[in-house]
Short mmCIF file of all heavy atoms in Angstrom, two decimals:
data_model
loop_
_atom_site.label_atom_id
_atom_site.label_comp_id
_atom_site.label_asym_id
_atom_site.label_seq_id
_atom_site.Cartn_x
_atom_site.Cartn_y
_atom_site.Cartn_z
N MET A 8 77.33 91.94 98.41
CA MET A 8 77.09 91.32 99.72
C MET A 8 76.32 92.27 100.64
O MET A 8 75.62 91.81 101.56
CB MET A 8 78.42 90.94 100.36
CG MET A 8 79.16 89.83 99.63
SD MET A 8 80.78 89.48 100.36
CE MET A 8 80.25 88.94 101.99
N ASN A 9 76.42 93.57 100.41
CA ASN A 9 75.80 94.54 101.32
C ASN A 9 74.60 95.26 100.74
O ASN A 9 73.89 95.94 101.47
CB ASN A 9 76.85 95.58 101.74
CG ASN A 9 78.05 94.95 102.45
OD1 ASN A 9 77.87 94.06 103.30
ND2 ASN A 9 79.24 95.39 102.10
N VAL A 10 74.39 95.13 99.44
CA VAL A 10 73.31 95.88 98.83
C VAL A 10 71.97 95.27 99.18
O VAL A 10 71.84 94.06 99.43
CB VAL A 10 73.49 95.93 97.30
CG1 VAL A 10 73.14 94.59 96.67
CG2 VAL A 10 72.63 97.04 96.69
N THR A 11 70.92 96.10 99.25
CA THR A 11 69.58 95.60 99.53
C THR A 11 69.07 94.74 98.40
O THR A 11 69.48 94.87 97.24
CB THR A 11 68.62 96.79 99.73
OG1 THR A 11 67.31 96.29 99.93
CG2 THR A 11 68.64 97.72 98.52
N GLU A 12 68.20 93.82 98.71
CA GLU A 12 67.67 92.89 97.71
C GLU A 12 66.77 93.60 96.70
O GLU A 12 66.44 93.04 95.66
CB GLU A 12 66.87 91.78 98.39
CG GLU A 12 67.73 90.87 99.27
CD GLU A 12 66.91 89.77 99.94
OE1 GLU A 12 65.68 89.76 99.73
OE2 GLU A 12 67.53 88.95 100.62
N LYS A 13 66.36 94.86 97.02
CA LYS A 13 65.49 95.57 96.11
C LYS A 13 66.25 96.16 94.92
O LYS A 13 65.64 96.69 93.99
CB LYS A 13 64.79 96.71 96.87
CG LYS A 13 63.85 96.20 97.97
CD LYS A 13 63.20 97.35 98.69
CE LYS A 13 62.27 96.84 99.79
NZ LYS A 13 61.62 97.95 100.53
N ILE A 14 67.57 96.10 94.94
CA ILE A 14 68.39 96.60 93.84
C ILE A 14 69.20 95.43 93.25
O ILE A 14 69.80 94.67 93.99
CB ILE A 14 69.33 97.71 94.32
CG1 ILE A 14 68.52 98.90 94.83
CG2 ILE A 14 70.26 98.16 93.18
CD1 ILE A 14 69.36 100.01 95.41
N THR A 15 69.20 95.33 91.92
CA THR A 15 69.89 94.24 91.23
C THR A 15 71.19 94.75 90.61
O THR A 15 71.19 95.80 89.93
CB THR A 15 69.01 93.63 90.11
OG1 THR A 15 67.78 93.19 90.69
CG2 THR A 15 69.71 92.46 89.44
N LEU A 16 72.28 94.03 90.86
CA LEU A 16 73.56 94.37 90.24
C LEU A 16 73.79 93.41 89.08
O LEU A 16 73.94 92.21 89.27
CB LEU A 16 74.70 94.26 91.26
CG LEU A 16 74.58 95.11 92.52
CD1 LEU A 16 75.83 94.96 93.39
CD2 LEU A 16 74.36 96.57 92.18
N LYS A 17 73.80 93.92 87.88
CA LYS A 17 73.93 93.09 86.68
C LYS A 17 75.28 93.33 86.04
O LYS A 17 75.65 94.47 85.72
CB LYS A 17 72.82 93.41 85.68
CG LYS A 17 72.81 92.48 84.48
CD LYS A 17 71.63 92.76 83.57
CE LYS A 17 71.61 91.81 82.38
NZ LYS A 17 70.44 92.06 81.50
N ARG A 18 76.03 92.25 85.82
CA ARG A 18 77.38 92.35 85.25
C ARG A 18 77.35 92.00 83.76
O ARG A 18 76.83 90.97 83.37
CB ARG A 18 78.35 91.40 85.97
CG ARG A 18 78.26 91.51 87.48
CD ARG A 18 79.27 90.62 88.16
NE ARG A 18 78.96 90.46 89.58
CZ ARG A 18 79.83 90.07 90.50
NH1 ARG A 18 81.08 89.81 90.13
NH2 ARG A 18 79.49 89.96 91.76
N GLU A 19 77.92 92.85 82.98
CA GLU A 19 78.06 92.61 81.54
C GLU A 19 79.53 92.83 81.17
O GLU A 19 79.89 93.70 80.38
CB GLU A 19 77.16 93.55 80.75
CG GLU A 19 75.68 93.35 81.03
CD GLU A 19 74.80 94.34 80.29
OE1 GLU A 19 75.34 95.13 79.49
OE2 GLU A 19 73.58 94.31 80.51
N LEU A 20 80.36 91.99 81.78
CA LEU A 20 81.81 92.14 81.63
C LEU A 20 82.33 91.17 80.58
O LEU A 20 81.82 90.07 80.41
CB LEU A 20 82.51 91.88 82.98
CG LEU A 20 81.98 92.67 84.18
CD1 LEU A 20 82.81 92.35 85.40
CD2 LEU A 20 82.00 94.16 83.89
N SER A 21 83.38 91.58 79.91
CA SER A 21 84.01 90.73 78.89
C SER A 21 84.70 89.55 79.56
O SER A 21 85.12 89.61 80.72
CB SER A 21 85.01 91.54 78.08
OG SER A 21 85.75 90.72 77.22
N SER A 22 84.82 88.46 78.81
CA SER A 22 85.49 87.27 79.35
C SER A 22 86.99 87.30 79.12
O SER A 22 87.71 86.40 79.56
CB SER A 22 84.91 86.01 78.68
OG SER A 22 85.10 86.07 77.28
N GLY A 23 87.48 88.32 78.44
CA GLY A 23 88.91 88.40 78.17
C GLY A 23 89.69 88.89 79.38
O GLY A 23 89.15 89.21 80.44
N LYS A 24 91.02 88.90 79.21
CA LYS A 24 91.91 89.39 80.25
C LYS A 24 92.60 90.64 79.75
O LYS A 24 93.25 90.62 78.72
CB LYS A 24 92.95 88.32 80.63
CG LYS A 24 92.34 87.10 81.32
CD LYS A 24 93.42 86.12 81.76
CE LYS A 24 92.82 84.94 82.49
NZ LYS A 24 93.85 83.98 82.97
N TYR A 25 92.46 91.74 80.52
CA TYR A 25 93.00 93.02 80.11
C TYR A 25 93.85 93.56 81.26
O TYR A 25 93.35 93.81 82.36
CB TYR A 25 91.89 94.01 79.78
CG TYR A 25 90.93 93.49 78.74
CD1 TYR A 25 89.62 93.16 79.06
CD2 TYR A 25 91.35 93.33 77.42
CE1 TYR A 25 88.75 92.67 78.10
CE2 TYR A 25 90.49 92.84 76.44
CZ TYR A 25 89.19 92.51 76.79
OH TYR A 25 88.34 92.04 75.84
N ASN A 26 95.12 93.76 80.98
CA ASN A 26 96.05 94.26 82.00
C ASN A 26 96.15 95.77 81.91
O ASN A 26 96.31 96.34 80.82
CB ASN A 26 97.44 93.63 81.80
CG ASN A 26 97.43 92.13 82.06
OD1 ASN A 26 96.72 91.66 82.95
ND2 ASN A 26 98.19 91.37 81.29
N VAL A 27 96.05 96.42 83.09
CA VAL A 27 96.20 97.86 83.17
C VAL A 27 97.21 98.20 84.25
O VAL A 27 97.47 97.40 85.15
CB VAL A 27 94.84 98.55 83.47
CG1 VAL A 27 93.90 98.42 82.30
CG2 VAL A 27 94.22 97.96 84.72
N TRP A 28 97.76 99.39 84.14
CA TRP A 28 98.79 99.86 85.08
C TRP A 28 98.13 100.90 85.98
O TRP A 28 97.87 102.02 85.56
CB TRP A 28 99.93 100.46 84.27
CG TRP A 28 101.22 100.62 85.00
CD1 TRP A 28 101.78 101.78 85.41
CD2 TRP A 28 102.12 99.60 85.40
NE1 TRP A 28 102.97 101.56 86.03
CE2 TRP A 28 103.22 100.20 86.03
CE3 TRP A 28 102.12 98.21 85.27
CZ2 TRP A 28 104.29 99.50 86.56
CZ3 TRP A 28 103.18 97.49 85.78
CH2 TRP A 28 104.25 98.12 86.42
N LEU A 29 97.79 100.50 87.23
CA LEU A 29 97.03 101.40 88.08
C LEU A 29 97.38 101.21 89.56
O LEU A 29 98.04 100.23 89.95
CB LEU A 29 95.52 101.22 87.85
CG LEU A 29 94.90 99.82 88.00
CD1 LEU A 29 94.67 99.43 89.44
CD2 LEU A 29 93.58 99.76 87.25
N ASP A 30 96.89 102.15 90.36
CA ASP A 30 96.99 102.08 91.82
C ASP A 30 95.70 101.44 92.32
O ASP A 30 94.63 102.07 92.29
CB ASP A 30 97.17 103.48 92.39
CG ASP A 30 97.42 103.46 93.89
OD1 ASP A 30 96.98 102.52 94.58
OD2 ASP A 30 98.04 104.42 94.38
N PRO A 31 95.72 100.19 92.79
CA PRO A 31 94.48 99.51 93.17
C PRO A 31 93.70 100.26 94.24
O PRO A 31 92.47 100.32 94.19
CB PRO A 31 94.97 98.14 93.67
CG PRO A 31 96.29 97.95 93.03
CD PRO A 31 96.89 99.31 92.93
N ASP A 32 94.38 100.83 95.23
CA ASP A 32 93.68 101.54 96.30
C ASP A 32 92.93 102.75 95.76
O ASP A 32 91.76 102.99 96.10
CB ASP A 32 94.66 101.95 97.39
CG ASP A 32 95.26 100.76 98.12
OD1 ASP A 32 94.61 99.68 98.13
OD2 ASP A 32 96.36 100.89 98.68
N LYS A 33 93.59 103.53 94.93
CA LYS A 33 92.95 104.74 94.42
C LYS A 33 91.84 104.41 93.42
O LYS A 33 90.81 105.07 93.40
CB LYS A 33 94.00 105.63 93.75
CG LYS A 33 95.13 106.06 94.68
CD LYS A 33 94.58 106.75 95.91
CE LYS A 33 95.71 107.20 96.86
NZ LYS A 33 96.33 106.07 97.55
N MET A 34 92.04 103.37 92.61
CA MET A 34 90.99 102.98 91.68
C MET A 34 89.79 102.41 92.43
O MET A 34 88.64 102.57 92.02
CB MET A 34 91.53 101.99 90.64
CG MET A 34 90.59 101.73 89.48
SD MET A 34 90.00 103.23 88.65
CE MET A 34 91.55 103.96 88.15
N THR A 35 90.06 101.73 93.56
CA THR A 35 88.95 101.26 94.40
C THR A 35 88.14 102.43 94.92
O THR A 35 86.90 102.39 94.98
CB THR A 35 89.51 100.43 95.56
OG1 THR A 35 90.21 99.29 95.04
CG2 THR A 35 88.39 99.95 96.47
N GLN A 36 88.83 103.49 95.29
CA GLN A 36 88.13 104.69 95.75
C GLN A 36 87.26 105.28 94.64
O GLN A 36 86.13 105.71 94.89
CB GLN A 36 89.14 105.73 96.23
CG GLN A 36 88.51 106.96 96.86
CD GLN A 36 89.56 107.93 97.39
OE1 GLN A 36 90.76 107.65 97.32
NE2 GLN A 36 89.11 109.04 97.92
N VAL A 37 87.77 105.28 93.41
CA VAL A 37 86.99 105.78 92.27
C VAL A 37 85.71 104.96 92.09
O VAL A 37 84.60 105.50 92.00
CB VAL A 37 87.83 105.75 90.97
CG1 VAL A 37 86.97 106.06 89.77
CG2 VAL A 37 88.98 106.73 91.06
N LEU A 38 85.89 103.62 92.05
CA LEU A 38 84.73 102.75 91.85
C LEU A 38 83.77 102.81 93.02
O LEU A 38 82.54 102.73 92.84
CB LEU A 38 85.21 101.31 91.59
CG LEU A 38 85.99 101.11 90.29
CD1 LEU A 38 86.59 99.71 90.24
CD2 LEU A 38 85.07 101.31 89.09
N ASP A 39 84.30 102.92 94.24
CA ASP A 39 83.42 103.03 95.40
C ASP A 39 82.54 104.27 95.29
O ASP A 39 81.33 104.22 95.58
CB ASP A 39 84.26 103.09 96.68
CG ASP A 39 84.80 101.73 97.08
OD1 ASP A 39 84.38 100.72 96.45
OD2 ASP A 39 85.62 101.65 98.00
N ASN A 40 83.13 105.39 94.92
CA ASN A 40 82.35 106.62 94.78
C ASN A 40 81.27 106.49 93.72
O ASN A 40 80.13 106.89 93.91
CB ASN A 40 83.27 107.80 94.46
CG ASN A 40 84.11 108.23 95.64
OD1 ASN A 40 83.77 107.96 96.80
ND2 ASN A 40 85.23 108.89 95.38
N ILE A 41 81.65 105.91 92.57
CA ILE A 41 80.69 105.80 91.46
C ILE A 41 79.57 104.82 91.81
O ILE A 41 78.38 105.10 91.63
CB ILE A 41 81.42 105.36 90.18
CG1 ILE A 41 82.42 106.43 89.73
CG2 ILE A 41 80.43 105.08 89.06
CD1 ILE A 41 83.30 106.03 88.57
N ILE A 42 79.95 103.63 92.32
CA ILE A 42 78.94 102.62 92.62
C ILE A 42 78.07 103.06 93.79
O ILE A 42 76.85 102.82 93.81
CB ILE A 42 79.62 101.27 92.90
CG1 ILE A 42 80.40 100.79 91.66
CG2 ILE A 42 78.59 100.21 93.29
CD1 ILE A 42 81.23 99.54 91.88
N SER A 43 78.66 103.69 94.80
CA SER A 43 77.88 104.17 95.93
C SER A 43 76.82 105.17 95.48
O SER A 43 75.66 105.12 95.92
CB SER A 43 78.80 104.81 96.97
OG SER A 43 79.69 103.86 97.51
N ASN A 44 77.20 106.08 94.58
CA ASN A 44 76.22 107.03 94.04
C ASN A 44 75.12 106.31 93.28
O ASN A 44 73.94 106.66 93.38
CB ASN A 44 76.91 108.03 93.13
CG ASN A 44 77.65 109.10 93.89
OD1 ASN A 44 77.42 109.29 95.09
ND2 ASN A 44 78.54 109.81 93.21
N ALA A 45 75.50 105.29 92.46
CA ALA A 45 74.50 104.55 91.70
C ALA A 45 73.50 103.86 92.62
O ALA A 45 72.29 103.86 92.38
CB ALA A 45 75.19 103.54 90.79
N ILE A 46 74.02 103.25 93.70
CA ILE A 46 73.13 102.57 94.66
C ILE A 46 72.28 103.59 95.40
O ILE A 46 71.07 103.40 95.61
CB ILE A 46 73.96 101.73 95.64
CG1 ILE A 46 74.66 100.58 94.89
CG2 ILE A 46 73.09 101.18 96.76
CD1 ILE A 46 75.62 99.80 95.75
N LYS A 47 72.89 104.72 95.72
CA LYS A 47 72.21 105.73 96.51
C LYS A 47 71.01 106.31 95.76
O LYS A 47 69.95 106.56 96.34
CB LYS A 47 73.20 106.83 96.87
CG LYS A 47 72.66 107.89 97.82
CD LYS A 47 73.67 109.01 98.00
CE LYS A 47 75.00 108.47 98.53
NZ LYS A 47 75.98 109.56 98.74
N TYR A 48 71.16 106.51 94.45
CA TYR A 48 70.12 107.17 93.67
C TYR A 48 69.24 106.19 92.90
O TYR A 48 68.37 106.62 92.13
CB TYR A 48 70.74 108.16 92.70
CG TYR A 48 71.40 109.33 93.39
CD1 TYR A 48 72.78 109.38 93.53
CD2 TYR A 48 70.64 110.37 93.92
CE1 TYR A 48 73.40 110.44 94.17
CE2 TYR A 48 71.25 111.43 94.57
CZ TYR A 48 72.63 111.45 94.69
OH TYR A 48 73.23 112.51 95.34
N SER A 49 69.46 104.85 93.05
CA SER A 49 68.63 103.86 92.36
C SER A 49 67.32 103.66 93.12
O SER A 49 67.30 103.57 94.36
CB SER A 49 69.36 102.52 92.24
OG SER A 49 70.43 102.63 91.34
#
């Protein structure tokens, strides 16, 4: 929703359901850092 139109986000996710045991807030922080870097350097 916030990324510029000049960058394309392409999803290649499995259609299955996989349950994991995690802290959603901390994992969100992990993904935010990784994705933010990817957007920043794309």
